[in-house]
Amino acid sequence: MLETTSYAILPSQVNKKEELRHPVQSICSYEWDGKVLSGMLSKGSFFIYFTRENTLRFAVQPFGEADVSPTIAAERDQPLDGVTFEPSEDSLVLEAGAHRVTIFKNSLSFSVSRNGATVFQTEAPCVSYTKEKQVYFSVEKETDAPIYGLGEKSGFINKNGLKISNWNTDVFAPHNKDTVELYQSIPFALIHAQDKTTGIFFDNTFRTSFDMQTYRDKLEIMAEGGQVNVYVIWGEDVKETVQAYTDLTGKTPLPPKWSLGYHQSRYSYTSQDEVSTIAATFKKYGIPLDCIFLDIHYMDDYRVFTFNEDTFPGAGALVKDLNSQGIDVVPIVDPGVKKDVHYPVYVEGMEKGYFSKYLDGDVYYGEVWPGESAFPDFFNSSVQKWWGGLHQYYTKLGIRGIWNDMNEPSVFNETKTMDLDVMHDVDGKKISHKEGHNLYGLYMSKATFEGLKEQVPNSRPFSLTRAGYAGVQRYSAVWTGDNRSHWEHLEMSLPMIINLGLSGVAFSGADVGGFSSDTTPELLIRWTQVGAFLPYFRNHSVQDSIYQEPWAFGEATMESVKKYIELRYRFMPYLYTLFHEAEQTGLPVVRPLVMEYPQDEETFQCSDQFLLGKNVLVAPILRQGQTHRAVYLPAGEWYDFWTEERYKGGEYHLIKADLDTLPLFVKEGTILPLGSPVRNTKEKQEIELHIYHSEQEVTGILYEDDGISYDYRDQAYSISTYDYKKGDLQISREGSYEATAEIIATKIIGKNEAGEDI
Ligand code: MIG
């Protein structure tokens, strides 16, 4: 309680003693089985192997045998074939093509080289431990190298100079630099330099910390238990490293198109009448809408898988009516199951032993919205199946998306979560909550995703989660939790989403308008401008705040907000194409400039601009009252989307942007497929091709399919490639999807060599 007073900085509170650390000294014996090198250390054991040519897995367990089994996060990991092994007196060498790792036997450490040049080096020794069973791993780094990734963290894109720890936490207090632990834990960092990007994935689910502060030339990673279990990726640039990371942890699957439209939410729309009125108001003002959310008030006393009979007596009819207007409904589902002997979900879960328990078999109960509640043990596949099956309750009404909240799990007590000695059952293997905590949200997302997939045949599920761990992108989109209607939070949403993207999560967004606090008309407009270009686009607000639906502040504000929601739909064909690319490659939809311009130092710290895909640059206004800003355009020529004026890249420009204008640029040589106006994604769009002139190549690509099913995996897709040369537009097509959009117009933007309009 005294944490918010000066008591928190009393000497006795501040100077906590560090545990004594012991280095893991040397390799005593080893064994090479043709793929994996393993052996005994002076304390504990280790193994190391290539998972692909530019990726290595290295593990040390100082307290026993290192565990080589695949984890839920890196489930695609497999030792590479064709690696050669060469021992010598001091070192052990593994080689895969041009890639060589040298492991030093004394003072355990290793280095990696590519074509003879060193690209990575650990400290010597690289592993240490404490008697409390903390494990440490340290690697060398350039003092000023920017460090990206680390999932959903506050602050700017570069994390060098900070200490970042990972423990999934429900943080309602304002997110700022000091609230490091938020809802997601993705222990993956990218250390960048002009000629390489090194990825370090510390796949350990205990609380972990990345210390980029204490030592100038090294990064030290710590876990509060378990083993050092690290993947090192040495990519030539950010892209290669993110691709390799998502080869391990999975790609963001192509979402249903409706989940990329505009979504409206509030905590809560408290009755079915209110929900209908919201839908009707969108219709009245002609504002596009794809989905309305039902927050916790739809339930009967917060019992998941129920509706409140008084306020939602005709939930089925409501969903049906909205669906007929092309509007989806997504209800919230929390993990806490109310302890109530008359509540079938609770009774069944108890009878089958599906809730999380202590070692002695007693069920763990914690206080959340419904009062005392039990928490499904999602780690177990029978529990996942059961939970997934419960979603029939919604899917039979026509619901095909679910919002998972409070799944850190959040509990109303001092520790904010479940007791650490609760044991989870990973299909027979028991792990403590201390080890499993950061995985709770990931497993819940898995249960939800797989349940929806089974309940709604041949339909891509949409699930949205607050908590997660590395690999969460396989199951769920992520929103950044309880932000506030503060300009600083608008600003911070960019680096958060950019770094989530670099951490494998291509599908994420922040509550547009801000969740808690009262938004203002100006903030809502500026935030909608940003949200329209982020992967996930939902306006959401807390119960005691003023309403922030598009029309909440009168007509002028509404027109501006509407303009950007409509712009989202104009960009839908391009956006959807990028999501297809994300599924193929693992590359994010929203990219930091450094991803496309890895050698340009001017991009290294750029947190207030981003690229949508490769060729669209967004440089929003992020401060109250501002109508101008400096915009950095990287190499090449760029066109202002609105004025079509041409700008030189490789420099800064002062751009004017009145309240109704989002600074938006398109790179020369781009063919941008823009969609015609629609009420939502269920209406078919026609295409207008905007061809941005360049002296070099002018190309574009459009991915299409039915927007909902998995048929695209069976050829029912279309990829159109556009090529424009000297007035001639060539289109080539791949895939067997027939119902492709009609091109109703082409527009050429720019000048020819003589400086004339063309
Ligand atoms: O803090 O379900 O982050 O989006 O509206 C209360 C009520 C629990 C937290 C979520 C927020 C949601 C709210 N929930």
Side-chain angles (χ1 to χ4, degrees):
M1 230 176 67
L2 293 172
E3 271 164 21
T4 51
T5 71
S6 302
Y7 176 81
I9 46 171
L10 283 185
S12 57
Q13 295 296 310
V14 175
N15 300 325
K16 292 191 187 125
K17 267 225 254 64
E18 255 214 40
E19 290 286 332
L20 196 62
R21 282 165 51 179
H22 310 281
V24 166
Q25 289 297 356
S26 45
I27 298 179
C28 308
S29 65
Y30 61 85
E31 192 183 318
W32 168 246
D33 74 359
K35 286 185 183 178
V36 179
L37 175 67
S38 56
M40 301 303 293
L41 301 164
S42 29
K43 174 105 168 86
S45 63
F46 82 103
F47 65 80
I48 189 164
Y49 59 83
F50 278 89
T51 69
R52 42 177 273 176
E53 284 205 342
N54 67 359
T55 309
L56 200 68
R57 183 182 185 193
F58 171 68
V60 172
Q61 173 52 277
F63 303 98
E65 202 179 324
D67 182 1
V68 74
S69 49
T71 65
I72 174 82
E75 59 173 19
R76 285 140 216 247
D77 156 20
Q78 272 200 351
L80 187 71
D81 280 324
V83 176
T84 60
F85 174 62
E86 191 67 47
S88 75
E89 183 141 353
D90 312 328
S91 65
L92 307 170
V93 174
L94 299 179
E95 234 170 47
H99 309 263
R100 165 200 285 248
V101 47
T102 310
I103 303 131
F104 300 96
K105 290 201 219 160
N106 284 324
S107 194
L108 177 72
S109 63
F110 64 93
S111 68
V112 178
S113 67
R114 182 176 50 212
N115 291 320
T118 303
V119 287
F120 174 80
Q121 207 154 351
T122 69
E123 283 276 303
C126 63
V127 173
S128 59
Y129 61 92
T130 67
K131 75 173 183 355
E132 302 302 321
K133 304 213 162 146
Q134 293 164 327
V135 291
Y136 290 81
F137 174 66
S138 32
V139 309
E140 292 187 356
K141 71 163 181 68
E142 303 284 321
T143 306
D144 297 322
I147 302 183
Y148 310 122
L150 290 163
E152 175 193 64
K153 297 295 175 191
S154 59
F156 298 101
I157 59 171
N158 175 13
K159 304 302 183 199
N160 198 357
L162 304 176
K163 232 178 191 169
I164 297 284
S165 55
N166 298 300
W167 183 255
N168 292 358
T169 310
D170 172 3
V171 184
F172 180 70
H175 302 169
N176 63 37
K177 182 170 177 281
D178 300 323
T179 44
V180 174
E181 292 169 351
L182 293 175
Y183 316 90
Q184 298 269 334
S185 291
I186 309 188
F188 174 57
L190 301 99
I191 308 174
H192 182 66
Q194 277 175 325
D195 57 346
K196 64 176 182 212
T197 307
T198 308
I200 315 264
F201 174 34
F202 196 77
D203 187 11
N204 176 314
T205 63
F206 286 83
R207 178 188 255 117
T208 48
S209 99
F210 283 61
D211 185 351
M212 299 159 279
Q213 183 177 70
T214 310
Y215 315 95
R216 291 171 59 75
D217 303 323
K218 72 174 181 184
L219 155 64
E220 185 176 78
I221 306 173
M222 185 274 291
E224 290 189 350
Q227 62 184 9
V228 164
N229 180 40
V230 66
Y231 292 88
V232 177
I233 302 167
W234 50 100
E236 291 190 6
D237 56 21
V238 185
K239 275 190 179 169
E240 194 180 317
T241 300
V242 172
Q243 290 198 18
Y245 171 74
T246 54
D247 280 350
L248 275 177
T249 59
K251 318 278 175 187
T252 302
L254 183 64
K257 204 182 235 179
W258 65 266
S259 66
L260 303 181
Y262 178 72
H263 291 190
Q264 183 64 53
S265 183
R266 182 172 174 85
Y267 171 22
S268 301
Y269 297 126
T270 52
S271 68
Q272 67 183 53
D273 292 343
E274 191 179 9
V275 174
S276 298
T277 306
I278 292 291
T281 314
F282 272 92
K283 195 168 174 187
K284 173 170 141 202
Y285 294 121
I287 304 168
L289 175 69
D290 256 288
C291 182
I292 299 182
F293 273 65
L294 303 180
D295 207 328
I296 52 176
H297 289 92
Y298 80 85
M299 291 181 260
D300 172 20
D301 212 7
Y302 310 120
R303 289 174 186 83
V304 284
F305 310 103
T306 67
F307 275 99
N308 181 321
E309 297 271 315
D310 293 333
T311 49
F312 285 82
L318 172 74
V319 174
K320 214 167 159 197
D321 175 44
L322 293 181
N323 285 354
S324 75
Q325 302 176 47
I327 300 166
D328 272 88
V329 175
V330 169
I332 196 168
V333 175
D334 290 347
V337 171
K338 187 177 177 66
K339 181 178 182 187
D340 166 7
V341 295
H342 301 294
Y343 172 33
V345 177
Y346 175 71
V347 173
E348 193 186 355
M350 285 303 283
E351 280 170 2
K352 298 198 165 138
Y354 284 166
F355 295 117
S356 305
K357 305 177 199 63
Y358 294 99
L359 197 55
D360 61 13
D362 285 353
V363 168
Y364 168 81
Y365 291 101
E367 188 83 18
V368 267
W369 303 122
E372 230 189 328
S373 302
F375 294 81
D377 194 10
F378 294 115
F379 295 71
N380 185 281
S381 49
S382 313
V383 179
Q384 290 164 24
K385 282 222 172 64
W386 169 62
W387 190 258
L390 290 173
H391 286 77
Q392 275 177 48
Y393 179 79
Y394 302 111
T395 55
K396 65 175 200 260
L397 304 179
I399 286 170
R400 47 191 182 164
I402 294 290
W403 172 24
N404 286 152
D405 185 24
M406 303 291 279
N407 52 353
E408 291 72 31
S410 175
V411 182
F412 303 152
N413 63 24
E414 280 285 294
T415 68
K416 300 185 186 161
T417 194
M418 208 177 259
D419 292 348
L420 300 184
D421 55 353
V422 167
M423 300 303 286
H424 297 292
D425 174 18
V426 194
D427 291 340
K429 183 183 166 205
K430 297 266 179 175
I431 63 169
S432 67
H433 192 68
K434 186 177 178 190
E435 178 172 0
H437 174 80
N438 286 337
L439 286 175
Y440 195 83
L442 174 87
Y443 276 113
M444 185 187 192
S445 298
K446 179 172 190 281
T448 301
F449 180 85
E450 288 171 353
L452 287 174
K453 199 166 165 185
E454 189 158 321
Q455 303 304 326
V456 194
N458 197 19
S459 173
R460 293 170 232 159
F462 169 63
S463 93
L464 179 66
T465 186
R466 195 168 70 176
Y469 180 75
V472 67
Q473 70 269 15
R474 304 199 298 265
Y475 311 116
S476 202
V478 168
W479 100 102
T480 58
D482 296 345
N483 63 8
R484 301 203 168 187
S485 301
H486 298 177
W487 287 89
E488 292 80 357
H489 281 195
L490 166 61
E491 178 181 20
M492 198 164 67
S493 68
L494 266 52
M496 276 175 118
I497 285 159
I498 286 170
N499 273 331
L500 272 167
L502 296 180
S503 311
V505 183
F507 195 11
S508 73
D511 286 344
V512 168
F515 176 66
S516 77
S517 294
D518 291 330
T519 200
T520 64
E522 185 185 354
L523 183 57
L524 181 64
I525 291 171
R526 290 299 192 193
W527 211 317
T528 308
Q529 292 172 354
V530 172
F533 285 87
L534 293 181
Y536 182 59
F537 187 23
R538 182 184 72 158
N539 174 316
H540 180 53
S541 188
V542 73
Q543 51 183 346
D544 56 357
S545 67
I546 49 174
Y547 278 72
Q548 59 183 41
E549 288 70 19
W551 52 84
F553 299 99
E555 205 180 318
T557 302
M558 181 183 81
E559 285 308 326
S560 195
V561 167
K562 182 179 171 190
K563 170 174 161 185
Y564 284 90
I565 296 175
E566 287 173 347
L567 191 63
R568 168 73 164 202
Y569 286 84
R570 293 269 284 156
F571 273 82
M572 188 60 72
Y574 178 73
L575 183 70
Y576 194 58
T577 303
L578 288 173
F579 271 95
H580 168 255
E581 187 186 343
E583 182 179 56
Q584 300 297 309
T585 63
L587 293 181
V589 166
V590 156
R591 303 175 186 171
L593 273 52
V594 67
M595 183 167 244
E596 297 295 341
Y597 302 89
Q599 292 173 346
D600 178 356
E601 283 193 30
E602 213 57 58
T603 66
F604 286 9
Q605 305 251 20
C606 182
S607 291
D608 62 352
Q609 301 180 196
F610 62 88
L611 292 162
L612 186 67
K614 198 170 149 65
N615 290 335
V616 173
L617 186 146
V618 183
I621 299 283
L622 303 165
R623 278 286 176 269
Q624 181 173 339
Q626 281 190 1
T627 52
H628 291 75
R629 65 159 289 174
V631 176
Y632 180 69
L633 298 174
E637 304 262 322
W638 297 79
Y639 292 90
D640 182 310
F641 178 78
W642 305 108
T643 64
E644 299 180 353
E645 196 176 324
R646 194 169 158 127
Y647 288 91
K648 249 178 99 159
E651 48 186 82
Y652 285 86
H653 299 272
L654 182 65
I655 301 297
K656 180 170 190 314
D658 59 27
L659 184 53
D660 198 36
T661 304
L662 166 74
L664 184 61
F665 299 85
V666 184
K667 181 114 190 240
E668 62 168 331
T670 304
I671 301 183
L672 198 59
L674 294 173
S676 57
V678 279
R679 281 192 304 157
N680 49 54
T681 57
K682 290 92 184 178
E683 287 184 2
K684 188 143 192 96
Q685 285 185 301
E686 291 159 335
I687 301 287
E688 217 178 276
L689 291 179
H690 281 204
I691 302 173
Y692 290 88
H693 177 70
S694 165
E695 302 299 327
Q696 282 117 43
E697 274 200 320
V698 184
T699 58
I701 182 165
L702 172 65
Y703 173 83
E704 296 169 274
D705 62 22
D706 64 15
I708 185 73
S709 80
Y710 284 101
D711 295 352
Y712 75 97
R713 294 191 179 171
D714 193 24
Q715 292 298 313
Y717 68 90
S718 154
I719 295 178
S720 308
T721 308
Y722 309 117
D723 224 313
Y724 183 81
K725 236 180 247 139
K726 298 201 167 30
D728 181 32
L729 177 68
Q730 296 286 339
I731 304 180
S732 63
R733 249 198 202 134
E734 173 196 320
S736 68
Y737 179 67
E738 297 286 339
T740 52
E742 194 188 331
I743 298 174
I744 50 161
T746 55
K747 180 176 179 190
I748 293 157
I749 295 133
K751 318 241 178 215
N752 67 12
E753 292 99 40
E756 302 151 334
D757 288 333
I758 49 169

